[in-house]
Amino acid sequence: MSRSNEEAREEAHGEACEKAREKEIATRPPDYSAPVTNQPLEGTVVRLVRLSPDHAEALFPSASDPEVWRWMPRARPETVVQLREWLGEMTADPTRRCFAVQRRDDGTVIGSTSMYDLDLAESRTEIGATWFDRSCWGGPYNVESKLLLFTHAFEDLRLARLALRTDNLNVRSQQALTRLGLVHEGTLRSHMRRPDGTRRDSLYYSLLADEWPTVRDALRARVTAKSVA
């Protein structure tokens, strides 16, 4: 076989190997064990940092507040140890991305929020396990934490959809989700059990990528208005 034919054969073999490699990468399942980001999500009044069990002591005063925890779908932690164990479970879940919320002006941890059921293949996630110290209710903190988390979802991860759900009795949360610009999609009847054993309906709200720019601008304006109020 002539040298030119050998070279052509090697080139064809190389192209076939490259195509096979590209196909393998395209069909490879998402690697959920890899962290999406280790960098804080920086806002003007809060930053979101990677949650760890070490945040349990700082978060316990708010997590142990019955009013703060009233609508959470799991029992209120009674000790720092219990909260630490739960934070450990959450942060070990490869389909979750969990954050502690820090107030920027003094570094105080004032709450927590998470992505869960993160499905990169289907380009979607849900937002939940969110709570804030009662002293921070009504301020810019929750609004900006949502702005940062939604920005991360749509602009960093390029997701197509995110959703939030709430108890059918939690009217305050439903009103807040509407003000955030999410769309009420429907209700899952008798969806899950509350900590007291009663069954709740879950109201689902969602936001899509093509709706995000309008919602983003509105959230930025709300953060500014609440920050100077």
Side-chain angles (χ1 to χ4, degrees):
M1 183 178 293
S2 68
R3 181 177 175 82
S4 60
N5 287 340
E6 289 180 359
E7 291 175 347
R9 182 178 178 180
E10 289 177 359
E11 183 178 347
H13 177 71
E15 290 177 354
C17 289
E18 181 63 23
K19 288 181 180 179
R21 189 182 72 84
E22 292 175 354
K23 182 178 180 180
E24 188 274 332
I25 292 174
T27 58
R28 185 186 300 165
D31 180 9
Y32 292 121
S33 64
V36 173
T37 180
N38 285 316
Q39 299 300 315
L41 306 181
E42 297 279 359
T44 58
V45 295
V46 299
R47 67 170 59 89
L48 306 187
V49 300
R50 296 285 291 188
L51 183 69
S52 84
D54 292 338
H55 286 112
E57 188 171 354
L59 287 169
F60 184 70
S62 56
S64 60
D65 183 334
E67 185 63 21
V68 170
W69 210 256
R70 180 180 180 188
W71 299 109
M72 296 292 280
R74 64 176 295 146
R76 178 166 48 89
E78 297 180 355
T79 66
V80 173
V81 172
Q82 286 184 353
L83 181 57
R84 182 182 296 274
E85 290 175 352
W86 182 46
L87 298 184
E89 293 172 5
M90 287 203 303
T91 54
D93 183 345
T95 68
R96 280 184 177 267
R97 297 294 178 266
C98 307
F99 299 89
V101 183
Q102 281 186 335
R103 192 162 50 207
R104 285 197 54 153
D105 60 3
D106 59 9
T108 300
V109 174
I110 59 173
S112 180
T113 191
S114 299
M115 290 181 177
Y116 66 98
D117 287 348
L118 175 60
D119 189 332
L120 299 178
E122 292 296 338
S123 195
R124 67 190 181 206
T125 193
E126 294 197 27
I127 307 296
T130 300
W131 77 91
F132 286 86
D133 187 275
R134 212 188 317 181
S135 65
C136 298
W137 289 4
Y141 308 107
N142 180 48
V143 177
E144 187 167 63
S145 73
K146 292 295 191 297
L147 173 61
L148 294 172
L149 207 53
F150 293 0
T151 299
H152 182 52
F154 289 120
E155 299 181 19
D156 296 334
L157 303 183
R158 302 293 182 181
L159 299 185
R161 165 191 169 86
L162 61 80
L164 292 88
R165 66 189 184 199
T166 188
D167 194 304
N168 62 293
L169 300 181
N170 190 353
V171 176
R172 180 174 177 270
S173 175
Q174 295 162 32
Q175 294 172 341
L177 292 175
T178 299
R179 287 194 300 270
L180 286 171
L182 278 75
V183 175
H184 178 221
E185 290 188 324
T187 301
L188 299 184
R189 299 182 300 163
S190 193
H191 180 226
M192 57 196 303
R193 184 177 285 108
R194 299 184 181 96
D196 66 3
T198 61
R199 296 199 64 85
R200 80 172 216 186
D201 297 345
S202 291
L203 277 65
Y204 260 86
Y205 293 76
S206 69
L207 181 63
L208 306 184
D210 60 356
E211 300 165 342
W212 167 236
T214 299
V215 170
R216 178 188 59 207
D217 293 346
L219 291 180
R220 287 173 175 171
R222 286 188 63 198
V223 171
T224 299
K226 285 179 172 288
S227 298
V228 299

